[in-house]
Amino acid sequence: MIRIAPAGRVLAVAAAASLALTACGGGSGDTSAQQSESGAPSAAASSAPAKGDGTLTLGTVLPQTGSLAFLGPPEFAGVDQAVKEINEAGGVLGKPINKVHTDSGDTTTNIASQSVDKLLAQKVDAIIGAASSSVSESIIDKITGSGVVQFSPANTSDKFSTISDNGLYFRTAPPDKLQGRVLGDLIAADGNDTIGILAMQDSYGSGLADQIKTTAEGAGATVVERVDYDPKAPEFSADVSKIKAKNPKAIVLIGFEEGAKVVAELVKQGLTTDKVKWYMVDGNMSNTNYLKMPKGTLKGVKGTIPGAEAPEDFRKKLQAINAGLKDYTYAAESYDAANLIALAAEAAKDDTGKSIAAKLPEVSKGGEKCKSFKECADLLKAGKDIDYDGVSGPIEFNDAGDPAVATIGVYEYGDDNKYPGKALEYRTGKIEG
């Protein structure tokens, strides 16, 4: 069940900070699949369970290439910043932690599976990723079947709330049932009684489209046409034509990088934003994907992104990691994922995946509140129970490994085809399950 609190307009960063906050899709210079931070070379692929050796090793399977590559830089930067702070605070179990970055690619490649093999060969204890829900589905059995924690900062598919994972899958992004409800409510509240949906055909796109349809129609609107398209298609003229034929007042675009081609086709067929209201989601909300389009192409387009606004001081830290950052989506969730894994290992006094998984719910709720690895680790060393509240929010895992409380930000594009860092509003919800 999800309960969504009344929307509140954000007037300042301080106001945003007072809400119940939590996350949900080239990072640093260290992005080689062959090299760990300690310089250890890659070994042959192995599916044997990782064994605790007293050194926590984090792997990442995040997008350096593929349809979600724009999400890679902030996610890698978030992990890198956390690892930097953890090691500056003395590391985990008295030793610096290692990190090994790899590419997830997307569902058109086998890159993610190959990356997981490399990480398991290097005996990682936990893997942060993937960003794409469909990519995570393709590798979850290999990761969790090896006794390694899989922790995604960006998976939002509802499937992960019930997926078989040996108790080893967690995420800081909320399920799409929350984002879908927020966006469906928003579309109906904006006065749109007829809606067309263009959604990529995978677990993320179809699941989110289902929830938006249910919510919008529950609020009195009608989805007059829905097209689940092949994201690998060379063009989308036929898909857009089906939507145009039903003359909706609003069009919802659910996809990844291919969304730029869909937008171009909407414009080509006369479905511009001055005639039809467009709405987007976290997978295609980007400050880089639409910059080559004519000025004002996306003006007024609204979209939702799970998670709280990244604070200015946090953004400055990430800029020091990667000066070229343009998007910050899921950076906080990636940072919190690394911190939570490290704290769980510290609490368990063991770096094995199963020990980490057993302690993740415990360090996320119920104890003395703390907001950084050092602060929390010091409390653990003093024998205290802790409750880590991160940059992305309070997190507090439920039995499914989902954050129990989540925030969705509503953003709007300007004339420059970018959306500002500050949301129009945040809507918070409690997820029970």
Side-chain angles (χ1 to χ4, degrees):
M1 179 177 69
I2 303 175
R3 296 195 294 272
I4 300 179
R9 187 161 298 277
V10 177
L11 299 178
V13 173
S18 69
L19 294 169
L21 303 177
T22 191
C24 170
S28 72
D30 178 15
T31 55
S32 170
Q34 305 296 325
Q35 187 80 14
S36 74
E37 189 170 83
S38 61
S42 175
S46 170
S47 59
K51 295 180 180 180
D53 58 7
T55 299
L56 177 63
T57 300
L58 290 178
T60 68
V61 180
L62 294 168
Q64 297 171 3
T65 61
S67 56
L68 278 182
F70 75 94
L71 288 182
E75 291 170 341
F76 282 117
V79 173
D80 288 344
Q81 181 60 32
V83 170
K84 177 176 180 290
E85 293 177 10
I86 292 165
N87 286 340
E88 287 175 350
V92 173
L93 305 176
K95 297 180 181 179
I97 69 172
N98 294 330
K99 68 168 187 263
V100 190
H101 285 326
T102 70
D103 183 18
S104 65
D106 58 26
T107 55
T108 67
T109 67
N110 195 40
I111 291 173
S113 181
Q114 295 170 3
S115 292
V116 170
D117 286 341
K118 292 170 184 176
L119 293 174
L120 294 179
Q122 296 190 58
K123 299 190 184 301
V124 298
D125 304 298
I127 292 175
I128 297 175
S132 161
S133 292
S134 291
V135 171
S136 280
E137 278 190 75
S138 73
I139 58 177
I140 188 170
D141 288 345
K142 182 177 287 190
I143 296 171
T144 61
S146 297
V148 172
V149 167
Q150 181 177 357
F151 198 136
S152 175
N155 288 165
T156 58
S157 171
D158 292 337
K159 286 187 177 181
F160 293 103
S161 296
T162 56
I163 201 166
S164 177
D165 60 4
N166 298 317
L168 294 170
Y169 177 88
F170 295 82
R171 55 179 165 181
T172 36
D176 278 327
K177 54 190 174 183
L178 180 57
Q179 182 178 193
R181 282 196 60 178
V182 169
L183 189 54
D185 282 339
L186 174 68
I187 295 166
D190 282 350
N192 303 294
D193 56 4
T194 55
I195 303 167
I197 298 177
L198 280 161
M200 65 184 295
Q201 193 171 33
D202 76 344
S203 61
Y204 166 76
S206 298
L208 192 46
D210 287 343
Q211 186 61 64
I212 292 169
K213 181 178 187 294
T214 298
T215 302
E217 292 190 337
T222 300
V223 174
V224 294
E225 185 64 75
R226 170 176 164 177
V227 179
D228 287 23
Y229 64 81
D230 178 1
K232 300 186 292 294
E235 53 88 30
F236 302 96
S237 59
D239 301 312
V240 171
S241 292
K242 291 178 183 178
I243 297 293
K244 183 178 180 179
K246 297 300 178 67
N247 194 32
K249 290 183 180 177
I251 297 175
V252 186
L253 307 178
I254 305 171
F256 293 157
E257 189 178 45
E258 83 289 342
K261 292 182 179 179
V262 177
V263 165
E265 188 60 39
L266 287 170
V267 173
K268 182 179 179 181
Q269 296 196 26
L271 299 174
T272 50
T273 58
D274 58 336
K275 297 176 182 176
V276 185
K277 292 180 181 177
W278 299 356
Y279 295 85
M280 292 184 171
V281 293
D282 59 312
N284 52 23
M285 289 288 289
S286 170
N287 278 328
T288 58
N289 206 22
Y290 313 104
L291 295 183
K292 293 181 180 180
M293 294 182 174
K295 186 177 180 180
T297 299
L298 271 72
K299 184 176 182 180
V301 174
K302 292 180 182 178
T304 48
I305 300 176
E309 177 184 336
E312 187 61 31
D313 62 338
F314 180 64
R315 292 184 183 218
K316 288 180 179 178
K317 290 178 182 178
L318 298 185
Q319 284 287 338
I321 295 287
N322 180 356
L325 280 182
K326 297 292 190 299
D327 287 295
Y328 295 89
T329 305
Y330 296 124
E333 288 78 6
S334 301
Y335 172 85
D336 287 339
N339 276 331
L340 282 160
I341 291 166
L343 289 169
E346 190 71 36
K349 296 181 171 58
D350 181 33
D351 60 297
T352 62
K354 290 182 179 179
S355 295
I356 291 168
K359 288 294 184 178
L360 275 169
E362 183 179 308
V363 300
S364 75
K365 60 186 176 183
E368 188 169 337
K369 289 190 177 296
C370 48
K371 294 185 177 181
S372 69
F373 173 81
K374 185 179 188 311
E375 181 186 3
C376 294
D378 286 347
L379 289 171
L380 287 173
K381 290 171 184 175
K384 303 287 184 65
D385 184 21
I386 65 167
D387 179 355
Y388 174 78
D389 282 359
V391 177
S392 68
I395 303 162
E396 299 188 1
F397 295 116
N398 61 21
D399 291 342
D402 295 335
V405 178
T407 295
I408 307 294
V410 177
Y411 298 82
E412 183 173 338
Y413 278 89
D415 202 46
D416 57 357
N417 297 330
K418 296 193 294 184
Y419 63 90
K422 292 183 179 180
L424 293 175
E425 61 182 77
Y426 287 101
R427 300 188 183 192
T428 59
K430 184 173 178 61
I431 303 169
E432 297 177 359

